[in-house]
Amino acid sequence: MSGRPLPGGGDGDQPVVRLRAFVAVPVPPAKALATFLAAAREAMPGFRWVEPQNLHLTLRFLGYLDETTVARLITELSGLRAQPFELGVSELGIFGGSGLARVVWLGVRRGAQPLIELAAQVEDVCRRVGLPPADRQFRAHVTLARARDRRGAPLGELPPVPAIRPWPVREVVLFQSRPRASGANYLPIFSLPLRVPQPRRSQRASSAPAKA
């Protein structure tokens, strides 16, 4: 299984010395979710709400990487073995405490086990290229917003979360995160298609003489 390089690794002829990166499953645009995020942004300005085109489910945050590590990471990611699966999201959740929310997210109600297995494979890849172990246990969720204050902010009443139909997950993407005044922009560096493994024919079956 091999992936394909995608634009976003550099600007023109200028090489990228270090870049902030993560491995994730993209979330396809959904009009209902985009409408919810626009309403939430207006209702809760104390949070930075993710743009619909930037929604994703992080498998592993990588931090700042040099070009050599990125190249090795791409090579190792090409060896991942996983089948496409369906992903469905559920109710809102928050990270935070003492009445303050630091992160607002959507939980996963379908596809949790394949995500856990994918995250474990990505973690193994990270260790093979020399990255330190993840600093927290993988928990499948789609981040919708982060509080502007690092301590968190009160989360008031939000619009109802729309029902979102499950969608097929067909790729894992290595993203670069570029900071902007309005929030980070995520650019794909490498995309790895998920494909159903082809069954292997046994040598005995292939060498058996055909019956007349």
Side-chain angles (χ1 to χ4, degrees), residues 17-21 61-66 69-70 131 177 179:
V17 177
R18 291 178 68 83
L19 55 86
R20 196 168 188 258
F61 178 70
L62 304 171
Y64 285 92
L65 306 178
D66 57 41
T69 304
V70 170
L131 297 180
S177 175

Side-chain angles (χ1 to χ4, degrees), residues 94-108:
I94 65 168
F95 295 139
S98 302
L100 301 178
R102 291 182 290 102
V103 179
V104 183
W105 46 266
L106 278 175
V108 171

Side-chain angles (χ1 to χ4, degrees), residues 68-91:
T68 300
T69 304
V70 170
R72 291 182 60 201
L73 191 65
I74 289 173
T75 298
E76 292 291 339
L77 285 173
S78 298
L80 291 184
R81 297 291 184 270
Q83 297 188 21
F85 61 94
E86 262 201 351
L87 180 60
V89 293
S90 57
E91 70 282 350

